[in-house]
Amino acid sequence: MSSEHISNDNAAGTQPAVALSEVVRHFGRFAAVREVTADFAPGRLYVVLGENGAGKSTLLRMMAGLLQPTRGTIRILGETDIRAVATRMGYMGHAPLLYDELDAMENLRYFAGLYSIHDDRVCAAAIERVGLNPELKRRVGQYSQGMRQRASLARAILHNPELLLLDEPFSNVDVKSAHEMARLLGAMRDEGKTVFVVTHQAAVMEPVADESIVMHTGRLIAREQGIPQSLLSPYARPSEVRR
Amino acid sequence: MSILGVTQRTLRKDLRLEWRSKDAINSMLFFALLVVVIFSFAFDPTAEESRHIAGGLIWVAFLFAAVVALNQTWARELRNQVLDAYRVSPAPATALFLAKALGNFLFVVVLEALMAPLFVVFYNLRSVGPVYQLLVVGALGTWALVVNGTFFAAMSIRTRSREIMLPLILFPISIPALLAMVDATTSILTGSASPAFWIRLLAIYDLVFTTVCLSLFETVLNAE
């Protein structure tokens, strides 16, 4: 298998926020991620595109430290020990990663404690930032899917991370809310944060995306500035894009 | 953040979740109650016979009921994949384990406190030995069950039939502790011998398994 090194021109002279070197991940005999080598400059918003099973979520989970690569090295914010940079990184998964029996404020208060944040105002600010009301006493289990996604985003950003990894943040979110979330992510990028968004809704991210990363059958097959017109249609096949 | 700080927060959160859902305590109570009633129908012992068999009956009932709670421990962390949120945080894995074990300890102690009077009534139990010793055996025995149970429940969360897996792993490893619990309880109830040896054995068992579980938990938490 050949490895491909795809680097970002803008990264010259700066330490990459994420550096992947020949990263491989197998599940049994199935190779979910194959020989991915790439550097990602800090302060940019990356949109990871690809069909189902392309390896996007697996790659993101490895970057978050939730999965270990079978082979290869992942360097996050200059560290290979991902736990060492846990306070500087935020992760939002497919699922909400919140307790259904608690309201948003209770959830965030608990998770804030894990990051040594004991100020309720920080939690309230994160909830407000995603467009929810911190006074809302309804339990997360009774939220709409869109509200859950927003609350989940609030949890991921509450400790003001430098690197944000978001897996399908717009799934089941209405178009207006999705665009609001995308604008928020753009604003976070403008503050200097590095944002990775795995999504099938490229059009939502188009106004704010710096770069699109296309994966196919576990390989990183293309990197483009912004999101190419050909990928904006909901019927686009990212695998047909080539460098 | 310190281990104790995270442990305290996680324990408080778990108690709040249990207070709202009552998943563990309701099923444990119902299960233990069933065991007591079924055993009381199956046997019709005199007061003297009760003292000899009660140690076994009590601990078997508590062990079975505890498994129900232990299975719930991690189930609520798997719902919505909340465990991932903990795993990506800088909080220490040992704090999560301690909080879960302490939470289970409290649930099982509540169960024991509620079930003990029923055992006394159903089996006409009167202790010949000092009752305070039963409290020591109860505390050490319960910790033995929950510390291993919490650990092995965490180990089995990624298996397909985890509710079957837990007793299959937990029961064999709990045999030395169960033996000590049953013999210590019987010794106290009958007043026939000193329970000191069994209590010491339980204390050593607790110490060894708590240390092992604490040191291996991070590996188990991050295993794929």
Side-chain angles (χ1 to χ4, degrees):
Chain A
M1 262 188 283
S2 68
S3 76
E4 46 197 321
H5 188 105
I6 307 177
S7 65
N8 185 328
D9 293 338
N10 294 349
T14 58
Q15 176 186 268
V18 175
L20 309 173
S21 173
E22 298 183 0
V23 173
V24 175
R25 173 67 206 198
H26 286 252
F27 291 104
R29 295 171 67 184
F30 172 69
V33 172
R34 305 168 193 226
E35 301 278 345
V36 173
T37 298
D39 289 347
F40 299 98
R44 289 173 67 82
L45 197 154
Y46 300 93
V47 179
V48 186
L49 302 168
E51 284 140 36
N52 290 334
K56 311 179 296 291
S57 296
T58 305
L59 188 66
L60 207 72
R61 285 177 70 79
M62 285 194 287
M63 284 158 61
L66 290 168
L67 279 176
Q68 291 301 312
T70 307
R71 277 201 309 275
T73 313
I74 298 177
R75 191 175 286 274
I76 303 289
L77 302 170
E79 296 278 348
T80 47
D81 175 11
I82 296 177
R83 277 198 69 78
V85 290
T87 51
R88 298 163 63 195
M89 187 173 63
Y91 172 77
M92 176 180 170
H94 269 300
L97 280 65
L98 295 167
Y99 294 101
D100 279 346
E101 298 87 347
L102 304 180
D103 65 39
M105 193 65 186
E106 288 170 333
N107 264 295
L108 262 68
R109 201 178 284 136
Y110 170 65
F111 289 110
L114 304 183
Y115 291 87
S116 304
I117 299 168
H118 305 293
D119 187 348
D120 275 2
R121 286 171 301 182
V122 175
C123 303
I127 294 172
E128 277 170 358
R129 195 160 189 203
V130 298
L132 292 177
N133 178 4
E135 303 293 321
L136 189 64
K137 292 294 172 209
R138 207 193 308 167
R139 294 178 189 176
V140 167
Q142 297 164 343
Y143 278 12
S144 68
Q145 189 64 31
M147 288 169 79
R148 279 178 187 223
Q149 292 293 88
R150 284 163 178 261
S152 182
L153 180 60
R155 184 202 52 73
I157 64 172
L158 87 103
H159 56 292
N160 199 21
E162 289 168 48
L163 172 65
L164 201 50
L165 307 171
L166 311 174
D167 196 355
E168 304 273 12
F170 313 123
S171 58
N172 298 312
V173 175
D174 64 81
V175 177
K176 183 170 171 277
S177 304
H179 279 100
E180 283 170 12
M181 285 170 79
R183 266 198 297 278
L184 169 61
L185 298 177
M188 294 187 74
R189 180 269 322 276
D190 295 342
E191 291 165 12
K193 301 182 192 326
T194 312
V195 183
F196 281 81
V197 181
V198 168
T199 185
H200 292 285
Q201 292 155 274
V204 174
M205 290 305 295
E206 196 267 339
V208 293
D210 289 317
E211 195 174 323
S212 46
I213 299 155
V214 183
M215 292 194 69
H216 179 61
T217 58
R219 291 181 195 283
L220 197 163
I221 58 165
R223 287 177 72 165
E224 303 276 349
Q225 291 302 309
I227 299 179
Q229 204 64 32
S230 59
L231 290 177
L232 291 176
S233 157
Y235 303 104
R237 293 175 63 94
S239 58
E240 288 168 8
V241 175
R242 286 287 185 275
R243 270 184 299 152
Chain B
M1 192 173 189
S2 71
I3 288 183
L4 281 182
V6 178
T7 304
Q8 197 184 12
R9 270 177 176 263
T10 306
L11 178 60
R12 223 170 28 221
K13 178 264 299 170
D14 278 350
L15 294 178
R16 180 173 290 167
L17 289 177
E18 181 55 32
W19 180 252
R20 289 184 183 174
S21 69
K22 300 192 177 58
D23 284 344
I25 205 84
N26 279 350
S27 40
M28 260 195 323
L29 269 175
F30 188 66
F31 194 87
L33 195 63
L34 274 180
V35 173
V36 172
V37 173
I38 289 169
F39 280 177
S40 76
F41 286 140
F43 310 111
D44 187 16
T46 61
E48 184 54 34
E49 286 166 341
S50 281
R51 278 194 274 271
H52 286 281
I53 62 169
L57 291 183
I58 288 170
W59 283 111
V60 165
F62 290 158
L63 174 65
F64 285 171
V67 168
V68 178
L70 292 165
N71 269 322
Q72 289 291 335
T73 309
W74 298 104
R76 65 167 60 106
E77 301 296 328
L78 292 182
R79 235 174 277 145
N80 295 344
Q81 296 176 14
V82 195
L83 197 57
D84 282 351
Y86 192 96
R87 290 178 60 206
V88 296
S89 81
T94 43
L96 179 64
F97 177 77
L98 272 179
K100 292 287 178 193
L102 286 169
N104 285 329
F105 181 77
L106 288 177
F107 298 151
V108 179
V109 163
V110 167
L111 169 86
E112 289 169 355
L114 292 173
M115 296 307 296
L118 287 180
F119 271 105
V120 171
V121 172
F122 274 85
Y123 298 98
N124 194 21
L125 275 180
R126 297 286 178 277
S127 175
V128 176
V131 176
Y132 77 89
Q133 288 183 339
L134 283 175
L135 297 178
V136 178
V137 175
L140 291 172
T142 305
W143 183 254
L145 295 183
V146 300
V147 77
N148 279 329
T150 307
F151 181 78
F152 290 116
M155 259 179 89
S156 55
I157 53 176
R158 289 182 187 87
T159 59
R160 242 174 266 161
S161 31
R162 58 175 174 271
E163 281 164 16
I164 307 285
M165 281 302 290
L166 176 61
L168 287 181
I169 311 171
L170 177 63
F171 290 176
I173 210 133
S174 300
I175 287 172
L178 261 180
L179 188 72
M181 288 178 233
V182 172
D183 280 335
T185 306
T186 309
S187 303
I188 296 163
L189 288 176
T190 58
S192 59
S194 164
F197 169 76
W198 297 114
I199 291 175
R200 269 201 300 274
L201 182 68
L202 260 182
I204 293 167
Y205 181 96
D206 283 0
L207 190 68
V208 169
F209 278 90
T210 304
T211 311
V212 171
C213 293
L214 277 173
S215 33
L216 293 180
F217 183 70
E218 187 165 4
T219 311
V220 168
L221 183 68
N222 295 313
E224 295 145 21

